[in-house]
Amino acid sequence: MQHSVFSPMGPEAARIAELAWLLFLGGGAIFLLVMLALLLALGGGEGVRRRLGARRAILAGGVAFPVAVLSALLLHVLGVAAALGAGGREPALRIEVTGRQYWWEVRYPAQGITTANEIRVPVGRRIELLLDSGDVIHSFWVPALHGKRDMIPGRVTSLRFSLDRPGVLRGQCAEFCGTQHALMAMLVIAEEESAFAAWVARHKVPVAAPADPTLALGWQAFGRAGCGACHAIHGTPWAGRSGPDLTLLGERRSLAAGTLDNHQATLAGWIAGPQEIKPGNAMPAFNTVLDGKELRALAAWLESLR
């Protein structure tokens, strides 16, 4: 899983990584140069100190050198910024991402898909993310993908990129947004075009009532507990929008925006007591609403959504 600016997965992140290396190496070289001058001033002879303190040396080292270096760096940074901000070719896929306390809503308008906390993209295609916020200021940052983008309520910003190889990239909200800001992660899953097309096709298959008795009990528990008031599942009577869409929930790698690994046991624990796991989130506890059998059945049914 990539979560470093020094492990770029696409051309935009590679430009940012090159700029970071330039700053680190250039800053290190200048630091060593200054330390060398300091050592010469402290330990050199009278002639060395006299030359270092001469007007010409001060103007060269204290004025001309910084102006030349910073001017060159400014021009280079402006070039990188222009390249990152250039529109380029028209994006082949647009994805809408809304930051919420404390999760990410992800929508594919052209495909009619809504999901949460994971962004699936095909390798080699130009992608555009349209970013906004549903409550407070968030910041979208996937270090191996691109730079940061603030997500401000009432304003839509965009982020264009492409990925050159498959992989899983981890991202994080980079703007303090409340008590669970640190537990607001996301994954960007880059996959081959055929795998992405298969994922889109699976999302369009309506979820039918299960025949298995245990899974059927979980289906019934979902409806009886009122989960559909907040959550949607494609093809079912439930179409809530205030919580994450749960279609294909069983395929997701994590729960609660990267807080837990996703499997039946963690699903049951999250449903029973989400406030003990991630205090301050909007999910109520259902340990007093569902008995143990219903809770296990509901977790099993949700895990089966693939």
Side-chain angles (χ1 to χ4, degrees):
M1 185 182 299
Q2 301 291 351
H3 188 64
S4 170
V5 70
F6 299 116
S7 302
M9 294 279 286
E12 293 78 16
R15 286 181 178 272
I16 295 172
E18 290 169 3
L19 181 59
W21 279 117
L22 174 63
L23 292 173
F24 290 140
L25 296 176
I30 292 172
F31 174 79
L32 292 176
L33 184 62
V34 171
M35 289 300 101
L36 176 61
L38 178 61
L39 290 174
L40 290 174
L42 292 174
E46 183 65 28
V48 173
R49 287 196 292 272
R50 187 182 301 111
R51 284 192 291 273
L52 287 175
R55 178 181 178 85
R56 180 178 297 179
I58 293 173
L59 290 176
V63 178
F65 179 73
V67 168
V69 170
L70 293 177
S71 296
L73 180 60
L74 174 62
L75 292 175
H76 181 68
V77 169
L78 290 176
V80 173
L84 291 174
R89 68 183 190 275
E90 196 63 18
L93 178 64
R94 283 189 169 90
I95 306 171
E96 299 172 355
V97 181
T98 300
R100 303 187 185 278
Q101 292 176 307
Y102 301 95
W103 59 285
W104 309 88
E105 184 177 27
V106 182
R107 298 179 299 275
Y108 297 73
Q111 290 75 23
I113 292 173
T114 301
T115 183
N117 301 321
E118 290 186 0
I119 304 173
R120 286 184 181 252
V121 296
V123 170
R125 291 172 65 181
R126 188 71 171 163
I127 311 296
E128 181 177 43
L129 300 183
L130 301 176
L131 309 171
D132 68 348
S133 170
D135 35 52
V136 300
I137 296 176
H138 300 280
S139 186
F140 182 95
W141 188 37
V142 183
L145 180 70
H146 209 297
K148 298 177 184 178
R149 284 290 189 280
D150 283 346
M151 306 169 78
I152 301 170
R155 179 179 176 183
V156 177
T157 55
S158 65
L159 192 70
R160 290 190 176 188
F161 64 92
S162 58
L163 291 166
D164 49 26
R165 63 184 186 276
V168 179
L169 293 67
R170 187 183 184 277
Q172 179 72 40
C173 179
E175 179 77 24
F176 181 75
C177 56
T179 56
Q180 294 303 319
H181 161 71
L183 295 180
M184 188 174 169
M186 81 196 80
L187 294 178
V188 176
I189 302 169
E191 53 193 8
E192 298 295 346
E193 185 72 41
S194 58
F196 177 75
W199 176 78
V200 170
R202 290 196 301 276
H203 247 285
K204 292 182 177 296
V205 177
V207 176
D212 179 88
T214 299
L215 300 184
L217 178 61
W219 166 289
Q220 295 162 8
F222 188 92
R224 187 179 72 79
C227 303
C230 296
H231 299 285
I233 299 177
H234 178 64
T236 71
W238 305 303
R241 285 294 307 276
S242 58
D245 189 295
L246 302 182
T247 307
L248 298 189
L249 175 63
E251 289 192 0
R252 295 179 197 166
R253 288 166 168 76
S254 68
L255 299 174
T259 305
L260 300 169
D261 291 335
N262 184 18
H263 50 75
Q264 186 174 335
T266 52
L267 272 167
W270 174 255
I271 296 167
Q275 296 305 318
E276 283 70 37
I277 298 170
K278 193 172 180 176
N281 78 91
M283 174 87 170
F286 285 88
N287 57 338
T288 59
V289 179
L290 303 171
D291 61 32
K293 184 177 181 181
E294 289 177 313
L295 187 61
R296 290 189 295 273
L298 175 54
W301 175 61
L302 291 174
E303 188 186 37
S304 73
L305 299 179
R306 299 176 180 272

